[in-house]
Each structure stands twice: as structure tokens, then as C-alpha cells.
Amino acid sequence: GPAVPAAQRGSWTSFLKSIASFSGDLSSLTAPPFILSPTSLTEFPAYWCERPEYFAAIADAKPGQDRALAVLRWFISTLKDQYTTRNETMGSEKKPLNPVLGEVFYGIWPDKNGRGRTELLVEQVSHHPPITAYVIENKSKGLRLVGHNAQKTSFSSGAIIVKQIGHAVLTVNETETYLITFPRLRIDGLWYGSPYIELAETSYIVGGGHITTIEYKGKGYFSGKSHSFKSTTTAIPGQGGAGPREVIVEGTWHETSKFTKGGAGSFYEASGKQEETTPLEWTSELGESETRRLWFLVAKGIREGDFELASREKSRIENEQRQRRKDEAAEGKTWQLRHFDHQESDPIYEQLGRVAKLVPPSEDMYIFKGNWPSAFATA
Ligand code: 0T9
């Protein structure tokens, strides 16, 4: 049947008009019910964790070119989950719930086959514009990823263009660091009410004496297929990473890729299912802003088609937030982040970003305070 329910065609058209005449923070626009997702953006960092064995494999790889390729393989393995899951589970891309300031999410992927346990901690560190900070750790493998994410959106010939702001830094054994940047998104299919994502432009992984440039193309480029990429991994001159050769990998990030230079055979096959998060069991320690607790009734309303419930609960949450900000202002206080300290610049981004000639040459960062909820210890 048609993607836009007959009764919502008018509101979809006016939603599209407001997108087109609007640049910046799309999260604040009200969308018709059929396009709403019951999941908050604070859950999205879980996509980095849903192939835990590829994350663990980074630690097991030999430092140098092998490890640089292990980081790349893990990164590619997350893309299908990051950018096609909503289409697969809900029929199209959907508008996620816009997290409130201080919203948190905690999850675990248990140890299996010696891969160690992967732990996730997420905090919404800004409401408008939405900024999400996260830490992912596999302690037994000595791996830690700290990152933050924001978006700058614009509208171009019928599509939403999303420039991802922010970056992640992966640390291996407290010593080796990898800077990871994110691709640009193009959201198409809006007119028909069935949005989907294509990746575009370039993202980078820099560290361990190597730089990997990943180029993204849609239908009609490279191989002619949707979701295509081509990555080039080279040693950084003068950084002791003198790898034997350049390695090129080509294919599609949602299916299959192979070495086309400096190696042979398959690079990554997106087979098997992603592993869903085991959320940390709720106790008062996690607080009322734990995402699934906070949005429970909104999500229920969206899932069950009870949009009156969803919108009533959403308004309640938003009003409560507005009141909180007013109270803080009246008391001359500002909101304190729970798990992160904000810093204007990130020396690792600046240093490794120079190798990739990143624009902008500097970005801010969120430093993890190290305060995992105690419930992780007993979970
Ligand atoms: C980081 C990811 C990000 C978040 C989402 C653009 C988007 C919000 C940000 C970039 C993750 O690692 C990867 C995947 C999907 C991205 C979302 C897709 C999307 O549409 C939303 C935006 C804000 C909208 O909801 C636009 C309106 C909507 C009706 C189009 C479906």
C-alpha cells in the first residue's frame, strides 16, 4: 500500500514544506505519526557495538597494517546497522525521538567465545542542537571508544543532506589512538513518504601509523550499486607505520566487500544478525531520564498506534524540560553533565586530523569522567 496513509497526506506535505524552508535542527519539527520511530537517538550509539566480535578483533590484531584493517573492518561492519536497520525493521527511515538533556542509556553485550564483554554508556549532552556523547568499552581487550555526534542538516533537490558533526577516538591498550570521522548522509524518498539513507563523500580513520580514506557512493558510481564504498589504507610517512603496501577494499557496506589491491579475497561479508543491546536493568541509580523509562509511554503509543497517548506523553516530557530550564535560570544554575566534561578542543583530533587535512581543523570533545554506574559491576 501507499507509504503515506491517506489521512496523513496533508500533514506530510506540510512537514516536507517546513523541511525545505528550514535549515538546521530538524529535530524540533513536528512530523506526522506514520513517520515516528519509538526509539530515541540516545540508543543509536549501540550500533557501534552490535558486532562485538569485530570490535574485539581490533585488540587481537597485530599492531600496524593488520590492526588498521581490523579497525576498518569493524567500522564497515557497523554501517549496515547504523544506516539500514530502520528500513528493514520499520519499512523506512523514521524520525527518532529527540532526546532530552541528560537522557542516558546503558547497555551490555555479554562475553562469548573469548571476545570479552562490551559495555556502552550514552548521555545526551545538548538538547538544541541535539548532541549525544558515548563511551564503548571492552575492558578485557583494552579497547575504549569515546565519541560525540551532532548533525547539520540542509535540503537539496528533494533530499535532506546531513553533515555529521563530531568524531570518535578509539584507544587500544591506553596507548594507540585512532581518530574516526563520519560520512555524510543523503535522505531520499521523502516525497513518497518512504525515506532511506545513502552515504556520500568521505570519512577517515587515522591512527596506528596508518590513514584510511573511505569514499562513499550510491547507485551509478563505482560499481553502479547502492551503498558502495572504496577504502584506501596507507602508512603515514615518518610515523613508523611503513606498511608494505597500499591496501584498497571495494564493495558495498551493507553486503560484501573485497580487497582490490594489497590483499586478496573477501574483506567483509555482512552476514548474520546484529546483536541487540541488553539494557542495564533499571534501578533508581540510573535515574528517571534513562531513555526506555523516560519514553516508555510515548514508545508504547507509537508502537500500538495510540498517537493520542504518544503526543500527550511527549508534551508532558517537553513541558517538564522547559520548566526545569526555567527553574535553573531562576536559581542562576546551569545543568551539570553526569558522565562527561566538555572541552573546547581535542588534541587528538587536531593532531591526527592534520594527516587527513580535516575541515574543520579543530573540534570540541567530551571527556568521560570514568563513572560507570555501579550496576555494570553486578550485571
Ligand atoms: C548517529 C545515524 C544518525 C545518528 C541519525 C539524520 C537523523 C538523525 C541522526 C546520523 C548514528 O551513528 C547514525 C543514523 C540515522 C540518522 C537519522 C536519520 C534521520 O532521518 C534523522 C533526522 C533528524 C530526521 O529524523 C529527519 C526527518 C525524518 C522524517 C526523515 C526520515
Side-chain angles (χ1 to χ4, degrees):
V4 187
Q8 294 176 41
R9 269 182 215 147
S11 64
W12 181 241
T13 309
S14 45
F15 177 70
L16 292 182
K17 278 187 193 145
S18 54
I19 292 181
S21 60
F22 188 87
S23 261
D25 184 2
L26 289 186
S27 59
S28 56
L29 298 178
T30 305
F34 83 94
I35 205 72
L36 301 180
S37 154
T39 308
S40 161
L41 265 186
T42 52
E43 293 209 29
F44 281 44
Y47 291 127
W48 295 111
C49 312
E50 291 177 339
R51 312 266 165 181
E53 66 280 13
Y54 288 103
F55 191 53
I58 294 169
D60 300 335
K62 236 177 46 230
Q65 196 186 65
D66 280 2
R67 183 165 286 160
L69 291 174
V71 177
L72 174 65
R73 185 174 288 110
W74 159 73
F75 176 83
I76 296 295
S77 82
T78 72
L79 298 180
K80 176 177 190 258
D81 306 335
Q82 305 252 16
Y83 300 112
T84 70
T85 313
R86 279 82 54 199
N87 288 71
E88 281 174 13
T89 61
M90 302 188 283
S92 82
E93 190 59 53
K94 301 260 170 167
K95 188 173 190 288
L97 297 172
N98 188 32
V100 305
L101 184 59
E103 187 174 320
V104 286
F105 180 58
Y106 307 100
I108 293 173
W109 288 259
D111 183 16
K112 261 185 216 170
N113 310 320
R115 71 184 187 192
R117 181 164 97 163
T118 307
E119 301 173 331
L120 168 70
L121 175 157
V122 186
E123 180 173 355
Q124 191 67 14
V125 293
S126 168
H127 180 56
H128 284 302
I131 307 175
T132 310
Y134 50 91
V135 189
I136 293 159
E137 214 168 74
N138 183 328
K139 294 193 177 76
S140 65
K141 295 285 181 183
L143 298 171
R144 173 188 279 191
L145 181 83
V146 182
H148 72 279
N149 245 98
Q151 298 88 36
K152 249 206 174 82
T153 51
S154 56
F155 196 73
S156 167
S157 48
I160 300 174
I161 308 296
V162 182
K163 183 176 189 284
Q164 298 206 61
I165 316 274
H167 61 275
V169 172
L170 169 69
T171 308
V172 186
N173 297 325
E174 309 276 344
T175 50
E176 240 178 88
T177 47
Y178 293 81
L179 170 68
I180 298 168
T181 66
F182 315 125
R184 195 166 287 206
L185 278 57
R186 182 187 165 91
I187 305 174
D188 253 306
L190 290 167
W191 182 252
Y192 302 100
S194 45
Y196 62 91
I197 291 175
E198 184 55 279
L199 298 182
E201 312 230 347
T202 311
S203 77
Y204 299 92
I205 303 174
V206 190
H210 288 75
I211 171 167
T212 298
T213 305
I214 310 163
E215 292 172 80
Y216 304 86
K217 301 268 194 253
K219 234 188 172 80
Y221 298 86
F222 292 159
S223 63
K225 291 184 185 145
S226 304
H227 303 341
S228 292
F229 77 96
K230 175 180 176 179
S231 70
T232 308
T233 304
T234 50
I236 302 169
Q239 282 212 11
R245 60 211 184 277
E246 183 180 73
V247 176
I248 297 181
V249 173
E250 290 179 80
T252 55
W253 44 261
H254 68 311
E255 284 171 343
T256 166
S257 53
K258 58 179 199 297
F259 290 93
T260 55
K261 191 179 175 193
S266 165
F267 179 71
Y268 176 71
E269 300 284 330
S271 54
K273 263 184 79 72
Q274 69 207 80
E275 274 181 45
E276 291 202 356
T277 328
T278 308
L280 207 55
E281 197 181 320
W282 192 87
T283 62
S284 58
E285 184 195 17
L286 304 191
E288 296 303 321
S289 294
E290 191 281 328
T291 188
R292 294 198 183 178
R293 185 172 178 91
L294 178 76
W295 294 107
F296 180 74
L297 289 174
V298 176
K300 184 177 190 294
I302 291 172
R303 281 204 190 90
E304 296 173 2
D306 185 348
F307 296 110
E308 225 177 277
L309 172 68
S311 103
R312 189 169 65 238
E313 283 299 310
K314 188 166 168 282
S315 301
R316 186 184 57 74
I317 292 169
E318 284 164 355
N319 290 336
E320 219 172 80
Q321 287 295 311
R322 271 190 283 274
Q323 190 56 48
R324 241 183 244 189
R325 302 287 91 82
K326 270 191 207 154
D327 293 348
E328 285 165 6
E331 293 168 40
K333 287 183 183 158
T334 53
W335 176 259
Q336 299 299 303
L337 301 181
R338 189 192 291 189
H339 294 295
F340 295 90
D341 289 314
H342 185 224
Q343 190 173 292
E344 279 311 323
S345 67
D346 181 345
I348 292 176
Y349 177 95
E350 288 170 10
Q351 186 207 328
L352 294 175
R354 213 170 292 139
V355 181
K357 301 189 177 66
L358 290 187
V359 179
S362 184
E363 258 193 1
D364 61 347
M365 76 186 290
Y366 290 86
I367 302 169
F368 179 45
K369 294 179 183 179
N371 53 345
W372 293 94
S374 65
F376 270 101
T378 49

